Amino acid sequence: MHADPAILIVDDNPANRRLYQATLSDLGAQLYMASSGEEALDKCTDQPYAMVLLDVHLSGMDGFQVAQAIRDKCPGLDAPIVFVSAVYVHEQDTYRGYRLGAVDYILSPIVPEILRAKAAIFIRMHRLRAEAELHAHAIEKAYRELRTVHAEMEGFSYSVSHDLRTPLGQIAGFADLLQMGHAGPLNEKALDYVGYIQSAAHRMNSLIDDMLLLGNMSRTEMQIQPVDLSHLAQTLLTELEALRPQVHASWQVQQGLQAQGDQRLLRVALSNLLSNAWKYSAGVPRPFIDFGSREADDKDDGQVFYVRDNGAGFDVHAAGERLFRPFQRFHSDSNFQGNGVGLAIVQRVIDKHGGRLWVESAPGRGATFFFTLGRLSSRPAPLV
Ligand SMILES: Nc1ncnc2c1ncn2[C@@H]1O[C@H](COP(=O)(O)OP(=O)(O)OP(=O)(O)O)[C@@H](O)[C@H]1O
Ligand SMILES: [Mg+2]
């Protein structure tokens, strides 16, 4: 639909046409004139008019016949028709007109201000409709592109899981055979090299796992239920302590923190935040991890939860927009190992809940990750 509005004026009286033209000329619409029904039909294009001003008592085809013919010839032209009549229009004819798309009847001689006001409304409606169509097209296009990307992503995930895992499994398998001495005894150096191959294969396997988790995130259906975040954090921290006892961290978990959300996804998010806190505070003398909730202020969209540590921290400003992107790391592998995928996963989980994730940190000053769970968590349901 064209955004520039046009009005079709159909009247066999030249003086009337001049009057309508003078009345409507400065409303920003193009005016098309027709002196008969036949001429009006010639002027019906694919582009809908903002309004058709139609004389009821045309010589030859009358206004109703013209309206009918316009509808028959250009079914797409569903322009509002304003009938003009010098005499009373019989009630039956009025209804006939409405059925043909009349939106109004005005008496001639017309009051110019009234005609202008009505035309201005139809012009505005036309513009709004054109804008809405434009937006609808843009949304449809974006949706089609998204579907394509999604399909590509699925294909990619498939090829990652099948095509990469198979040779990787073979590399790891043959390295194991070498290490076990199936190809004869290996000297110390050779054993070291085999060890490097094994750990690289192990690392790549964990990268593939993370990539698949990230890729599957958008397709994961959420199951919203009450989640006891305090209990979840407590469980995860106990697991971390068992897994990495060499970090003598102490922790504090605020009791009674509940939210509405997807239990499985929230576990994944909290697990990433807590294991980061655990990992990046390993180097300080007394690592301390705190999970809690603070008062929400006006701009917060729901309760604010946080995971705080007193570890290595990082330069949030330098990280900038890369912060929650996959495969971005702000510490070297020699200090802290990782794939750089954890925070991207957390971000997607929080996004899916309609919440927000942000961080306060500085090098050597620990890090606090805050998150909300949007409207889902605003009314915590009682735990059962
Ligand atoms: N609590 C934290 N303290 C200091 N730096 C952090 C903390 N959490 C994240 N970071 C920084 O942000 C980067 C991205 O974190 P993310 O969890 O995505 O990746 P990772 O921990 O390196 O690897 P993994 O994919 O195994 O989680 C980290 O490499 C680290 O530099
Ligand atoms: Mg991490």
Side-chain angles (χ1 to χ4, degrees), residues 271-273 275-277 279-280 329 337-343 346:
S271 157
N272 272 295
L273 290 177
S275 67
N276 277 352
K279 173 163 58 173
Y280 295 103
R329 307 205 63 232
Q337 284 197 347
N339 296 334
V341 179
L343 286 183
V346 178

Side-chain angles (χ1 to χ4, degrees), residues 126-206:
H126 177 90
R127 288 209 169 100
L128 289 175
R129 201 173 135 192
E131 259 172 49
E133 271 181 23
L134 218 64
H135 288 149
H137 280 134
I139 290 171
E140 204 187 305
K141 183 165 170 269
Y143 179 68
R144 273 201 309 271
E145 282 169 7
L146 209 67
R147 281 179 67 118
T148 312
V149 172
H150 203 264
E152 279 170 8
M153 184 93 173
E154 282 191 346
F156 176 71
S157 297
Y158 182 85
S159 102
V160 164
S161 57
H162 290 83
D163 302 355
L164 285 184
R165 272 208 207 280
T166 312
L168 192 61
Q170 289 164 358
I171 292 170
F174 283 116
D176 287 349
L177 289 177
L178 283 174
Q179 191 196 38
M180 286 187 277
H182 286 281
L186 297 182
N187 64 28
E188 206 175 316
K189 200 168 199 177
L191 275 174
D192 277 353
Y193 289 168
V194 170
Y196 294 143
I197 295 172
Q198 284 170 320
S199 78
H202 182 262
R203 177 87 197 278
M204 190 155 166
N205 212 29
S206 101

Side-chain angles (χ1 to χ4, degrees), residues 189-364:
K189 200 168 199 177
L191 275 174
D192 277 353
Y193 289 168
V194 170
Y196 294 143
I197 295 172
Q198 284 170 320
S199 78
H202 182 262
R203 177 87 197 278
M204 190 155 166
N205 212 29
S206 101
L207 266 170
I208 292 172
D209 282 347
D210 280 353
M211 278 163 69
L212 285 175
L213 187 62
L214 202 62
N216 285 334
M217 200 61 85
S218 57
R219 272 176 287 152
T220 309
E221 284 284 324
M222 294 230 288
Q223 285 179 4
I224 304 300
Q225 61 189 98
V227 180
D228 185 341
L229 291 178
S230 301
H231 178 71
L232 197 55
Q234 189 72 39
T235 311
L236 289 164
L237 284 161
T238 313
E239 281 174 18
L240 281 166
E241 187 173 48
L243 270 168
R244 298 182 211 162
Q246 62 280 17
V247 182
H248 298 290
S250 45
W251 72 77
Q252 165 178 298
V253 171
Q254 185 179 331
Q255 289 310 298
L257 296 182
Q258 301 160 24
Q260 287 282 97
D262 182 293
Q263 167 90 23
R264 202 176 58 83
L265 290 180
L266 287 178
R267 184 179 219 281
V268 171
L270 213 49
S271 157
N272 272 295
L273 290 177
L274 291 170
S275 67
N276 277 352
W278 197 278
K279 173 163 58 173
Y280 295 103
S281 56
V284 300
R286 271 183 297 282
F288 183 70
I289 297 164
D290 183 10
F291 173 65
S293 164
R294 66 144 214 231
E295 284 289 305
D297 53 42
D298 287 349
K299 66 176 173 24
D300 293 327
D301 44 352
Q303 197 172 1
V304 179
F305 303 97
Y306 63 82
V307 174
R308 175 173 295 139
D309 67 69
N310 61 347
F314 67 105
D315 188 343
V316 178
H317 300 292
E321 291 193 347
R322 295 180 296 135
L323 188 57
F324 299 121
R325 284 201 202 134
F327 309 112
Q328 301 294 329
R329 307 205 63 232
F330 313 108
H331 291 94
S332 72
D333 229 24
S334 53
N335 291 333
F336 302 99
Q337 284 197 347
N339 296 334
V341 179
L343 286 183
I345 290 172
V346 178
Q347 168 80 84
R348 293 213 182 160
V349 171
I350 302 299
D351 258 1
K352 271 180 99 80
H353 283 79
R356 221 157 50 84
L357 173 69
W358 68 103
V359 58
E360 286 171 8
S361 182

